Amino acid sequence: MKKLLSLVLALAMCLTLVSFASAETVEEVIAQAQNMTLEELFQKAIEESNGKRFDAVGNSSRGKSVLPIFVEELQKINPGYTLDYEGGWQQPKENKIFDQLTEDVNGANHVMSMTLIQDGNQIQSKMLDTGLLLNFVPKDWQEAEGVAKEGNETPLALQTLNKVFMFNNLGEKTYTNMWDFVRDGEAPLFMGVNSELVGKNFLYMMTNDKYATIAKEAYEVWEGRNPEDDALIEDMKLDAEDLGLTGENVQYGLAWVYLWCEKYNEETDDGPICNTLVTTSAKDQAGLLVYSKLRSVEETAESSVNNITVAAYQDGYVGIGGYAYKHYLMLTKTSPLPWTSCALIAYMTTTQDGFKAWGKDMGGYAPVPACMQDHSHDGGDEFPAKNDRGYDWWINEGKLVVEEPAYCASVSGTMSDWIDGIVAGK
Amino acid sequence: MTTATTREAGGFRRTWNRFRTYISKPQNAILLALGIILTITTIFPMYTIVRDTVRLHPGSIDTQEKALNNQVDALGTTLTTYNWTNLFTDTITTRVERERVTRSVASIYLWTPLLNSVLISIFACFGAILYGGVFAYLVTRTNLKFKKYLSSIFIFPYIMPQWTLAVMWQNLFNSNAVTGGNDGLFVALFNTYMPKWWCEGLFPVSVVLAIHYAPFAYILIGGIFRNMDANLEEAATILNTPRYKTFFRVTLPLVKPAILSTVLLVFSSAMGSYPIPHYLGLTTLSTQYVGMSSNRAGQASILAVIMMLFGFLILIVNQRTTSGRKNFTTVTGKSGQSSVVNLGSVGKYVCSILFVLLTLFTGILPIILFAVETFLPNPGDYSFLTHGIVGHTTTKWWVTSENVTENGMYGQKGILYNADIWNAFGGTFLVAICCALVAGTIGTLIGYCVSKNRRSKWASYVNNMAFLPYLMPSLAVGVAFFIFGSGVGIYNTFLLLILAGTVKYIPFASRSALNSMMQLSGEIEEAAIIQDIPWWKRMTRIIIPIQKTSIISGFLLPFMTCLRELTLFMLLCGQGKIITTMLGYFDEMGLYAFSSGINLILIVLILLFNTLVNKLTGASIDSGIGGGD
């Protein structure tokens, strides 16, 4: 009896050791997955998650619409494959996604496998610097034709979205320079800097010398230029010093940020901004909003897409045409289903079907061109504002200010208070 | 040694016997158990908030400024006083009207929001008491016409999610010339531009809150007016006292406890309100908390602590001012007589029409606008009205059966086909039913046990512990349960929502039950005890049947309140979990057709349910907090 017991115990110990030895960390899975094709990842996902529960958290609710298509893809390989994802794609409110991920990784019960997340500043400081989220770059993505790697690789971007300056064109005012949006008497519609934090990141990025220089060049040819603004820009050198900003033309960027914060008219979301701007009564009103919102307008006697002009689409427009932020895809450090997460991320970032939930909208651009749908003729001749000129045009001609997580995180400590002080003093 | 041991053993046995005797009474055992449970569920979440103020938060200012290693503190184990010292002693150099200014951190993040929170709470109290109190007097003590209709319609703003009135206010009064953006309905129809103070900030927030909480005042003050002994007023009349003097010297002092109750309840509720200030552009502690939570997470928790302190303060004020009474919401003894003041043959119609018009604005108009909104092609686009084009209406918000991204649907199916919306409704009902059952049962037991131990300090403690969460601003309770729930891994679960809702709404049931139990003579139960009837039988066959109306009200109020609660739940779950977070999402996105449709369904369901319960049991929403009658 004793011998039997010893044998059973020894067997149990061996099994435990084997299972410990074969358990891979998420980092190890990623290291292997980065050298695999999409088909190989699908195979791994089937082995790992068949019949299991999948949970993820995202800023975009569209993530949940990819899951059934993803499962269908896996079922083409293994018809018996199932994945329990009902209610598994969560979308927390009020910036709680970072707290939720932190608690999930640091807690005893790890539920979240991956995330689709925005706000480069917080991602850098709360998720990457702390090692709570891990980056995975699919092999097929690396090798895709024409892939835009710069700024999209670490962390891996699902898409770049643009928010652009628009104005209601039924009034008398013209907006041909980025400084026109901050001249006296303006109150452009904009989401609050503390409710939509990518908007605050845009303001941080304006102090980056690349964009501050664009602001300087625009200011120098601005017809509305005046001595008070000249003095303000000069005075901003003091603020730049306080804030630890060292760029050559940073005072121009800071001055523009100051004037913008002092003047913008806060709205709860881009939806209401769009609904407002397209109406006949919103004469001479400007705003900075997600470009894709124009698709939501139904033509009536009161509302029309033709009542607005996209500022950067005008001939001779000078300065930035808006800003760009990104949706990033990453795995949690404690992902319960890392292979499945890697397969899903690869599917979303390298195939048109995987990106379809986002690709159907104008103003959202995948780094891999093959994933994209053409939106350059969405409005035709009837609604030219809806003809999307594409990522390259917006970056080079439209001069979008592109979010950089590391830069945002490096200046947010001081800039955030400076901006909050201006907004509170309005 | 042996003697000492024997003495000790004897002492222990005596204590144990005393404890056994104490615990053998069901009311004592229940009180003990509930006291321990409520202490944990109320105090522990509060402790987590306080602890959060001294934790380091990676990516937040406490780690950035201190240059602490985020890697080390990813678990948030290092403690610091930085958040307190920075908030209360540090300064920030910024710009106001182009000039460089140095301001204290507190002046930017704390003092102004705190002042605004206190002011809206005061104004909301004043407005709610004035509007609700006058209405209560007219309905209960005068020959006002259309009482039944007015009484029902008056509580509509309390049934509706509170921010719907705020959104309606915006849609009515905003204008391109004053607030920027497009013109609201008021300008479109009457070409009248309201000033900015009317459209945004302190004034509209206070007015909307006052309208929302006026039913509170009506229920509480009305309860006393309805049961007031008319002998005192009649004595004053016999002594030839002028009517105004009778009102101010006799009537008003009698309703003072109810007014105080209203002040305490409305003050804490208004202080914790998030959506109304959010929509109407006022920075309060609640909106500031949400705004600060990314970069100043620890300091946001300090704001929550301050909101909690207001709750404690209100509890102390409540204790002091009601120390001479059994409890502050209870009505005075029932009177066999009540007098009706004659408003005059014209006056009764004038007053009625005035209130019909007012309730039309606060109760009927929002419902009409909700209904109309669901047929507009674009949110707020009244082309069919302003241009007389009937074709500019649509049923797409209701009947679209496919995922459509064009024409404003944002990939959502119409309300009738939208599984997300109906699932969220299901989630809301699950939470509301569970909260009502648990809170109602616990509250009823507390009411019963406290009434049986009126002089016991422990009973008083349990009673206060049960009431405390109600005096805490909803956002502070939400924050506490968010930190607590995230820590124990139950974030975004129905369990967390039910737990928070139960703790927050036990007071509805406990107050209602306590008031009714106080009216119950001890002899009734004693007779059953003599006959050796077991406790559960005494409860189910005697106590509950006698006071069933008040007890059911104690179940009904948590249910109704849960259905339309946002502030408490918004930090505890994702946006599709329950209908109010989904409603808030649609409102924020500007998809007013969806939010209006949901609102309509919600209101109709609440009214149907209220009517059903009223028909079946005689209980209704307006017989709850006031203690029933």
Side-chain angles (χ1 to χ4, degrees):
Chain A
M1 187 64 191
K2 274 182 186 173
K3 278 183 186 171
L4 186 68
L5 190 65
S6 307
L7 195 70
V8 169
L9 284 173
L11 199 66
M13 202 170 78
C14 286
L15 282 172
T16 312
L17 284 172
V18 167
S19 68
F20 270 119
S22 63
E24 294 167 308
T25 63
V26 177
E27 284 98 330
E28 286 165 351
V29 169
I30 289 173
Q32 293 174 57
Q34 291 195 138
N35 297 314
M36 290 182 177
T37 63
L38 184 61
E39 286 68 31
E40 289 168 332
L41 288 172
F42 278 172
Q43 201 61 54
K44 282 284 190 184
I46 291 168
E47 287 169 21
E48 179 190 63
S49 59
N50 193 3
K52 291 189 178 161
R53 170 79 187 167
F54 180 81
D55 286 279
V57 61
N59 285 119
S60 166
S61 59
R62 296 180 192 190
K64 67 181 173 194
S65 61
V66 185
L67 290 168
I69 315 171
F70 174 66
V71 171
E72 277 174 26
E73 285 294 324
L74 299 188
Q75 283 170 342
K76 285 178 190 168
I77 301 167
N78 179 350
Y81 176 81
T82 57
L83 185 70
D84 174 19
Y85 56 79
E86 275 308 313
W89 188 275
Q90 297 180 21
Q91 194 182 1
K93 286 170 70 72
E94 318 296 352
N95 195 44
K96 289 298 170 197
I97 190 168
F98 294 97
D99 295 309
Q100 194 181 353
L101 284 166
T102 304
E103 298 296 343
D104 188 81
V105 175
N106 288 335
N109 187 23
H110 311 301
V111 174
M112 298 299 161
S113 284
M114 57 170 281
T115 183
L116 189 169
I117 193 165
Q118 69 180 44
D119 185 358
N121 169 36
Q122 292 193 79
I123 290 169
Q124 183 69 46
S125 59
K126 295 183 177 176
M127 300 286 115
L128 294 175
D129 290 348
T130 54
L132 299 180
L133 291 183
L134 302 174
N135 199 40
F136 160 68
V137 184
K139 184 172 182 276
D140 289 3
W141 189 91
Q142 288 277 14
E143 295 167 359
E145 195 180 335
V147 59
K149 289 186 180 175
E150 192 188 342
N152 292 320
E153 201 170 355
T154 313
L156 183 75
L158 169 72
Q159 64 167 343
T160 303
L161 299 116
N162 58 6
K163 291 207 181 195
V164 302
F165 290 115
M166 300 181 198
F167 60 91
N168 183 293
N169 54 27
L170 298 176
E172 303 292 316
K173 289 182 182 175
T174 56
Y175 300 84
T176 55
N177 188 302
M178 64 182 279
W179 291 86
D180 286 332
F181 293 100
V182 293
R183 67 192 163 199
D184 279 349
E186 291 297 331
L189 302 172
F190 184 55
M191 285 182 73
V193 289
N194 284 320
S195 61
E196 171 89 325
L197 289 156
V198 291
K200 211 169 188 178
N201 292 349
F202 152 59
L203 301 179
Y204 298 155
M205 290 306 302
M206 280 302 297
T207 66
N208 182 305
D209 216 36
K210 179 182 174 185
Y211 302 110
T213 303
I214 295 175
K216 181 193 176 203
E217 288 164 1
Y219 185 75
E220 283 170 347
V221 296
W222 184 39
E223 287 176 0
R225 184 175 169 168
N226 59 64
E228 288 79 28
D229 289 339
D230 287 345
L232 178 73
I233 289 170
E234 191 58 26
D235 207 23
M236 279 294 167
K237 287 178 179 170
L238 286 172
D239 297 60
E241 207 177 308
D242 283 350
L243 297 168
L245 302 169
T246 53
E248 192 185 342
N249 298 313
V250 67
Q251 66 273 24
Y252 288 89
L254 268 183
W256 193 91
V257 171
Y258 166 73
L259 292 169
W260 177 262
C261 290
E262 195 187 43
K263 293 176 192 315
Y264 80 76
N265 190 356
E266 184 171 331
E267 288 282 340
T268 56
D269 195 84
D270 290 323
I273 297 177
C274 182
N275 297 336
T276 296
L277 279 184
V278 296
T279 58
T280 51
S281 65
K283 286 175 185 165
D284 292 330
Q285 182 70 59
L288 177 54
L289 64 150
V290 166
Y291 182 41
S292 63
K293 292 286 175 189
L294 290 185
R295 289 187 78 193
S296 66
V297 179
E298 188 163 327
E299 296 291 315
T300 68
E302 280 281 317
S303 308
S304 173
V305 172
N306 285 332
N307 291 344
I308 63 102
T309 298
V310 176
Y313 283 177
Q314 301 172 102
D315 291 336
Y317 177 80
V318 183
I320 60 163
Y323 72 94
Y325 66 102
K326 293 170 194 285
H327 279 160
Y328 302 101
L329 289 163
M330 275 178 283
L331 282 83
T332 57
K333 192 173 81 177
T334 51
S335 174
L337 298 174
W339 285 110
T340 310
S341 302
C342 287
L344 180 58
I345 289 173
Y347 180 62
M348 288 162 80
T349 54
T350 61
T351 68
Q352 198 172 64
D353 282 345
F355 187 68
K356 197 166 71 179
W358 297 273
K360 62 190 175 188
D361 270 355
M362 60 203 216
Y365 314 101
V368 175
C371 297
M372 291 290 296
Q373 294 174 30
D374 180 22
H375 295 292
S376 60
H377 298 93
D378 279 11
D381 293 335
E382 200 180 356
F383 304 110
K386 286 162 66 170
N387 294 334
D388 189 350
R389 298 190 182 180
Y391 180 76
D392 288 339
W393 188 92
W394 273 110
I395 296 297
N396 299 313
E397 306 295 322
K399 295 188 172 67
L400 292 184
V401 176
V402 184
E403 179 187 87
E404 292 173 21
Y407 182 82
C408 291
S410 70
V411 300
S412 70
T414 49
M415 277 290 290
S416 178
D417 286 345
W418 189 77
I419 289 169
D420 288 348
I422 297 165
V423 174
K426 279 162 87 169
Chain B
M1 188 70 181
T2 316
T3 319
T5 312
T6 314
R7 202 180 300 134
E8 266 176 33
F12 175 76
R13 202 175 301 121
R14 266 197 300 279
T15 311
W16 173 242
N17 285 339
R18 232 178 299 166
F19 178 73
R20 276 183 59 187
T21 313
Y22 175 81
I23 209 103
S24 64
K25 290 183 182 171
Q27 63 264 33
N28 292 341
I30 293 167
L31 262 188
L32 185 67
L34 288 180
I36 293 166
I37 292 168
L38 288 174
T39 302
I40 294 167
T41 54
T42 307
I43 300 296
F44 190 69
M46 288 175 192
Y47 159 76
T48 57
I49 298 189
V50 176
R51 190 176 176 278
D52 199 56
T53 66
V54 292
R55 265 180 59 192
L56 286 167
H57 304 79
S60 197
I61 194 161
D62 44 24
T63 47
Q64 290 164 3
E65 291 284 307
K66 289 294 209 183
L68 289 165
N69 187 341
N70 288 341
Q71 298 280 3
V72 170
D73 197 59
L75 289 167
T77 47
T78 312
L79 299 184
T80 176
T81 56
Y82 177 80
N83 287 314
W84 290 89
T85 52
N86 176 263
L87 182 61
F88 288 102
T89 61
D90 283 1
T91 56
I92 293 170
T93 301
T94 182
R95 282 189 180 259
V96 176
E97 293 177 356
R98 299 195 171 211
E99 297 300 320
R100 272 164 68 83
V101 290
T102 299
R103 299 179 63 185
S104 68
V105 174
S107 73
I108 293 172
Y109 293 110
L110 177 60
W111 300 133
T112 307
L114 178 62
L115 179 68
N116 286 339
S117 290
V118 171
L119 286 177
I120 59 166
S121 303
I122 291 170
F123 293 147
C125 288
F126 185 76
I129 288 166
L130 191 70
Y131 184 41
V134 168
F135 183 73
Y137 180 79
L138 289 172
V139 166
T140 56
R141 306 302 306 275
T142 71
N143 59 343
L144 188 80
K145 299 301 284 181
F146 320 126
K147 278 183 188 178
K148 205 167 181 185
Y149 163 78
L150 286 171
S151 183
S152 315
I153 209 79
F154 195 80
I155 60 166
F156 271 33
Y158 186 68
I159 290 173
M160 288 185 279
Q162 53 177 257
W163 72 94
T164 52
L165 276 175
V167 173
M168 193 193 82
W169 191 281
Q170 280 183 317
N171 293 342
L172 276 181
F173 299 120
N174 277 8
S175 60
N176 178 255
V178 178
T179 58
N182 59 343
D183 289 335
L185 206 55
F186 216 62
V187 174
L189 294 178
F190 309 114
N191 204 29
T192 304
Y193 293 83
M194 302 309 286
K196 191 154 187 173
W197 61 264
W198 178 278
C199 304
E200 293 173 354
L202 193 64
F203 176 76
V205 171
S206 305
V207 170
V208 170
L209 280 169
I211 292 170
H212 182 71
Y213 289 117
F216 249 23
Y218 165 58
I219 292 166
L220 290 170
I221 299 170
I224 289 201
F225 274 136
R226 197 175 296 126
N227 297 297
M228 191 185 283
D229 190 341
N231 288 334
L232 293 168
E233 285 171 318
E234 279 165 13
T237 310
I238 291 162
L239 291 167
N240 223 10
T241 314
R243 193 177 280 182
Y244 78 91
K245 216 170 186 176
T246 308
F247 180 79
F248 284 106
R249 302 293 285 276
V250 179
T251 313
L252 216 51
L254 285 171
V255 292
K256 214 168 81 179
I259 289 175
L260 192 71
S261 303
T262 312
V263 168
L264 298 176
L265 296 173
V266 174
F267 191 94
S268 56
S269 302
M271 173 157 270
S273 169
Y274 169 78
I276 292 177
H278 173 65
Y279 281 103
L280 293 173
L282 186 74
T283 307
T284 62
L285 287 176
S286 302
T287 60
Q288 189 71 294
Y289 171 86
V290 175
M292 284 170 78
S293 57
S294 66
N295 202 41
R296 290 176 174 268
Q299 293 179 11
S301 291
I302 295 178
L303 263 54
V305 169
I306 292 169
M307 283 192 268
M308 283 193 329
L309 289 177
F310 271 95
F312 279 112
L313 195 69
I314 293 166
L315 187 68
I316 292 166
V317 172
N318 174 33
Q319 288 293 98
R320 288 273 168 90
T321 50
T322 60
S323 55
R325 299 169 187 282
K326 296 289 181 237
N327 65 71
F328 75 90
T329 54
T330 192
V331 294
T332 54
K334 288 193 176 185
S335 166
Q337 301 178 48
S338 63
S339 65
V340 171
V341 175
N342 189 356
L343 293 172
S345 54
V346 179
K348 65 183 176 186
Y349 284 104
V350 171
C351 288
S352 304
I353 289 166
L354 183 71
F355 271 93
V356 165
L357 290 175
L358 282 171
T359 51
L360 192 72
F361 179 74
T362 60
I364 301 292
L365 188 61
I367 292 174
I368 293 171
L369 289 179
F370 291 152
V372 173
E373 185 71 47
T374 62
F375 296 102
L376 301 183
N378 296 299
D381 182 343
Y382 288 90
S383 302
F384 85 96
L385 205 64
T386 51
H387 292 74
I389 308 168
V390 182
H392 283 182
T393 53
T394 179
T395 54
K396 66 178 180 180
W397 308 105
W398 289 100
V399 297
T400 302
S401 57
E402 292 171 9
N403 281 320
V404 182
T405 52
E406 299 289 354
N407 297 332
M409 298 300 287
Y410 290 101
Q412 299 280 348
K413 289 181 184 173
I415 296 168
L416 296 178
Y417 295 95
N418 196 316
D420 290 343
I421 291 176
W422 295 108
N423 286 340
F425 262 117
T428 293
F429 273 90
L430 175 71
V431 173
I433 289 167
C434 291
C435 282
L437 289 175
V438 183
T441 307
I442 293 176
T444 304
L445 289 173
I446 290 172
Y448 168 78
C449 297
V450 171
S451 71
K452 290 273 163 197
N453 293 278
R454 294 177 201 195
R455 292 193 187 129
S456 155
K457 280 185 182 167
W458 179 249
S460 171
Y461 167 79
V462 175
N463 192 29
N464 284 337
M465 202 45 67
F467 199 48
L468 185 61
Y470 193 77
L471 299 177
M472 297 284 176
S474 289
L475 191 81
V477 179
V479 173
F481 275 92
F482 168 72
I483 297 169
F484 169 72
S486 302
V488 297
I490 54 169
Y491 173 81
N492 199 40
T493 60
F494 286 119
L495 175 65
L496 183 62
L497 298 178
I498 292 165
L499 197 59
T502 300
V503 170
K504 179 76 179 160
Y505 299 128
I506 282 175
F508 283 132
S510 68
R511 287 283 135 172
S512 187
L514 183 58
N515 289 334
S516 58
M517 299 294 179
M518 289 286 199
Q519 294 174 346
L520 210 62
S521 170
E523 295 154 9
I524 297 171
E525 202 181 347
E526 278 161 19
I529 293 170
I530 291 165
Q531 293 192 29
D532 218 16
I533 309 284
W535 175 77
W536 63 270
K537 226 172 194 175
R538 299 201 298 270
M539 287 299 285
T540 52
R541 298 280 176 85
I542 302 169
I543 310 286
I544 293 173
I546 290 176
Q547 290 297 2
K548 74 166 194 284
T549 310
S550 292
I551 290 170
I552 289 171
S553 294
F555 281 79
L556 200 56
L557 267 166
F559 179 77
M560 303 291 188
T561 314
C562 260
L563 286 184
R564 54 121 185 95
E565 176 68 60
L566 173 70
T567 312
L568 177 67
F569 296 141
M570 71 182 194
L571 301 178
L572 306 180
C573 64
Q575 65 191 27
K577 198 85 176 171
I578 52 172
I579 202 66
T580 45
T581 50
M582 188 159 243
L583 218 169
Y585 164 73
F586 285 135
D587 263 333
E588 289 219 343
M589 289 279 287
L591 292 169
Y592 300 132
F594 282 121
S595 56
S596 298
I598 292 169
N599 249 323
L600 259 185
I601 297 169
L602 206 57
I603 292 168
V604 170
L605 284 175
I606 292 175
L607 289 177
L608 277 177
F609 201 83
N610 196 32
T611 311
L612 186 72
V613 174
N614 186 247
K615 293 283 175 210
L616 290 176
T617 67
S620 71
I621 197 166
D622 57 352
S623 61
I625 296 178
D629 52 6

